[in-house]
Amino acid sequence: MSKLPTLKDLVDSWLQADQNEDTRADIQTLWEEGNTAELERRLRNRIDFGTAGLRGRMEAGFSRMNDLIIIQTSQGLCEYINTQVQNAKSRGVVVGHDHRYNSERWAGLTAAVFLQKGFKVYLHRGLVHTPLVPFTVRQKRAAAGVMITASHNPKQDNGYKVYWGNAVQIIAPHDIGISSAIMSKLDIELSSPWSIASKRAFEHPQSLDVTDEMYEAYFRILKGLTAPISPNSTITFVTTPMHGVGNKPVLQALQNMGLSLQRIVVVHEQQDPDPEFPTVPFPNPEEHGALTLAMRKADEVGAAYVLAQDPDADRFSAAQRTSAGWHQFSGDQLGSLLASRILNKYKENGKSIDRLAMVASTVSSKMIESMAKAEGFNFVECLTGFKYIGNVASRLSEDGYDVPFGYEEAIGFMVENGIRDKDGVSATVAFVELVTQLETRGSSAFQYLEELYERYGYFETNNSYFICRDPPTIDAIFARLPFET
């Protein structure tokens, strides 16, 4: 049995490997101050690479998100892709980033690792919303993709999300294979100082900028999926990107479908990307109070609906003014509304219902299953997370089904845009199309939801969560849970 390293061994190992002056100084100071408890938390256990990639607090330590962890992870991922994917270097990888602290730097470091190994890298310039990475993987037939984002996590966090060549988040056994490859490639191989390597990655001849090209293709597809909004529509929408990257793509997509800027009011305090998230400590549209500013703005301008995307714009929420006040739709309610929209379009186009399929996670409402039984289309339930929803949708597509919709109750929606992942922008467009069409017959989303309940049955879900930031405690909790294999 191997002997556990001492705390001094761990400190020395960190100081020897880390080139970042700030994080080196952080560990050095903790050691000099004798803060052994904090050093144990930071250094004893390594941050786990799983099917969601990496996500954690930005600070020094093997259990945190920092330059060293990004480089080591990229080295392992690069090695694994090269051994698993034919022509991986020429197919290339896609890298994008959001607006969080360190995101651009870490996108550059990720690209630098792959470039040094001879890979072509589609390195997006500027801020992009997360769905553009899998979209680019699919459009360019790349070997894989990496998005630097922590989605709706607090400002202290960042993450490293990995997509496989099928443009879907990775699942087993890739997560295990990548994790093993990371542990076998811990010695740093970058030949340049890290700060220089990150910047040079954006200038490398094999670092290709296809950002504008991909957004043009993305918006072209979105525009083709929705009917033009009636010029007689009088609905005003308030929208908020929650201090994230969604404002530009959302406004562009809404204008492309014919919604005038006079009918779109952006929450001024939240419209620009801001890594501090000053108005929302937890920038998740689901959180109680997260839409307070948007609802207040909607009251000021007389808007009927509030539209919200989380900071990396891969999730979507909405609220409607009713006679009883504001009603914020749950993820399951939005899922039911958007699924019905797809079903109605299928019927209107005369398509065969028996080749239609939809997917939802097992913790989501059973309303779509009830809808499928009544209407005759195929419904598949899968494990929680879009890594499973996307892969199930891909398999169904290979079996000859059309899978234009999938969702999970945590306000994630896959809406017929060619991406097997959640997308807050396409979900926003789909919702706006639905409510403007309902307007023409004197109805609304809230009223239509009641119609769906009467038609398919009433379904109610109620969930919550606990926040724990101590990995050993989390492991202990899950170790006590019974799992069946």
Side-chain angles (χ1 to χ4, degrees):
M1 184 175 180
S2 60
K3 183 180 177 181
L4 286 175
T6 66
L7 184 56
K8 187 178 187 308
D9 291 337
L10 294 172
V11 170
D12 289 343
S13 177
W14 179 268
L15 295 177
Q16 181 179 1
D18 189 13
Q19 286 187 21
N20 185 301
E21 293 182 3
D22 292 334
T23 47
R24 274 180 55 85
D26 192 9
I27 296 298
Q28 184 68 52
T29 299
L30 290 171
W31 178 250
E32 292 172 355
E33 293 175 347
N35 194 341
T36 57
E38 182 63 16
L39 285 168
E40 283 285 347
R41 281 191 289 269
R42 302 266 200 104
L43 298 173
R44 178 62 62 186
N45 297 303
R46 186 178 183 87
I47 187 171
D48 289 330
F49 185 95
T51 53
L54 300 173
R55 191 178 294 188
R57 191 179 181 91
M58 293 179 282
E59 57 187 0
F62 296 120
S63 67
R64 305 294 198 255
M65 294 293 296
N66 47 66
D67 287 4
L68 179 61
I69 292 299
I70 291 293
I71 294 170
Q72 290 175 328
T73 300
S74 298
Q75 289 179 168
L77 178 62
C78 180
E79 178 71 15
Y80 183 78
I81 292 171
N82 200 34
T83 59
Q84 295 291 315
V85 180
Q86 189 173 13
N87 302 317
K89 292 183 178 181
S90 59
R91 288 179 62 182
V93 295
V94 179
V95 180
H97 68 86
D98 68 4
H99 66 303
R100 286 177 180 264
Y101 291 118
N102 296 309
S103 284
E104 183 177 19
R105 176 184 176 88
W106 291 349
L109 285 175
T110 300
V113 169
F114 280 90
L115 289 166
Q116 183 167 292
K117 290 296 183 180
F119 275 72
K120 176 169 59 180
V121 178
Y122 298 102
L123 179 56
H124 284 308
R125 271 47 165 194
L127 309 179
V128 299
H129 76 307
T130 290
L132 194 70
V133 168
F135 182 83
T136 306
V137 170
R138 185 164 183 169
Q139 291 288 311
K140 294 298 183 181
R141 299 181 179 178
V146 175
M147 178 67 185
I148 306 298
T149 181
S151 190
H152 54 277
N153 276 39
K155 67 178 183 179
Q156 298 88 354
D157 292 353
N158 213 329
Y160 186 104
K161 180 180 286 190
V162 177
Y163 295 87
W164 202 240
N166 62 351
V168 181
Q169 295 177 46
I170 59 168
I171 56 174
H174 292 312
D175 58 326
I176 299 172
I178 294 168
S179 182
S180 297
I182 292 169
M183 296 308 296
S184 71
K185 303 289 288 185
L186 295 180
D187 292 338
I188 301 302
E189 299 173 356
L190 273 181
S191 57
S192 303
W194 297 354
S195 58
I196 295 175
S198 179
K199 293 177 182 177
R200 286 180 176 172
F202 291 88
E203 304 164 356
H204 195 284
Q206 282 288 90
S207 173
L208 307 180
D209 180 9
V210 295
T211 314
D212 290 343
E213 174 192 343
M214 289 297 97
Y215 263 128
E216 287 175 7
Y218 173 81
F219 288 128
R220 187 165 55 249
I221 290 175
L222 282 192
K223 187 175 182 180
L225 295 174
T226 55
I229 291 178
S230 168
N232 298 321
S233 176
T234 61
I235 299 176
T236 296
F237 299 90
V238 164
T239 183
T240 173
M242 306 289 289
H243 300 293
V245 301
N247 192 42
K248 287 185 178 180
V250 165
L251 291 182
Q252 182 67 61
L254 291 177
Q255 289 179 78
N256 286 350
M257 65 187 300
L259 192 63
S260 69
L261 284 175
Q262 287 73 30
R263 295 292 178 190
I264 312 169
V265 179
V266 184
V267 178
H268 174 74
E269 299 92 331
Q270 298 174 336
Q271 71 178 7
D272 296 324
D274 188 340
E276 281 293 314
F277 304 103
T279 68
V280 278
F282 197 47
N284 180 353
E286 291 181 291
E287 288 295 306
H288 178 71
L291 299 187
T292 297
L293 278 177
M295 291 174 181
R296 188 180 302 160
K297 174 60 70 175
D299 287 335
E300 291 176 7
V301 301
Y305 294 93
V306 164
L307 314 171
Q309 304 79 34
D310 70 341
D312 68 327
D314 67 347
R315 303 199 307 157
F316 166 71
S317 185
Q320 179 186 336
R321 185 202 305 276
T322 71
S323 58
W326 282 99
H327 174 81
Q328 184 170 351
F329 297 100
S330 70
D332 284 321
Q333 290 174 333
L334 289 170
S336 298
L337 288 168
L338 295 175
S340 179
R341 168 187 170 271
I342 292 290
L343 177 62
N344 290 339
K345 292 182 75 169
Y346 235 74
K347 291 179 176 179
E348 291 168 3
N349 293 330
K351 293 184 179 180
S352 176
I353 297 295
D354 62 355
R355 302 316 297 168
L356 170 64
M358 300 189 199
V359 185
S361 63
T362 189
V363 296
S364 300
S365 169
K366 309 306 176 188
M367 188 165 179
I368 297 183
E369 182 178 19
S370 177
M371 192 183 298
K373 290 177 180 177
E375 300 289 350
F377 65 86
N378 192 38
F379 170 77
V380 178
E381 184 176 274
C382 66
L383 294 174
T384 303
F386 257 86
K387 53 185 173 286
Y388 296 111
I389 294 171
N391 278 285
V392 168
S394 293
R395 288 197 295 271
L396 286 167
S397 182
E398 291 170 1
D399 291 338
Y401 287 97
D402 184 17
V403 194
F405 184 71
Y407 94 100
E408 60 184 0
E409 49 78 32
I411 60 173
F413 309 98
M414 177 187 78
V415 187
E416 54 178 351
N417 61 354
I419 303 174
R420 297 303 186 197
D421 199 25
K422 55 185 178 289
D423 182 357
V425 178
S426 63
T428 299
V429 168
F431 182 81
V432 168
E433 180 192 52
L434 173 65
V435 299
T436 52
Q437 290 178 343
L438 289 170
E439 179 194 22
T440 63
R441 59 184 179 94
S443 186
S444 69
F446 188 76
Q447 291 172 297
Y448 185 54
L449 183 63
E450 290 297 324
E451 291 180 31
L452 295 179
Y453 285 148
E454 292 176 7
R455 191 179 309 163
Y456 302 115
Y458 286 80
F459 293 82
E460 181 71 25
T461 56
N462 187 16
N463 55 27
S464 186
Y465 56 84
F466 296 96
I467 296 176
C468 179
R469 302 191 184 282
D470 183 51
T473 301
I474 296 171
D475 291 342
I477 291 171
F478 278 92
R480 293 168 55 191
L481 298 177
F483 289 97
E484 294 183 6
T485 57

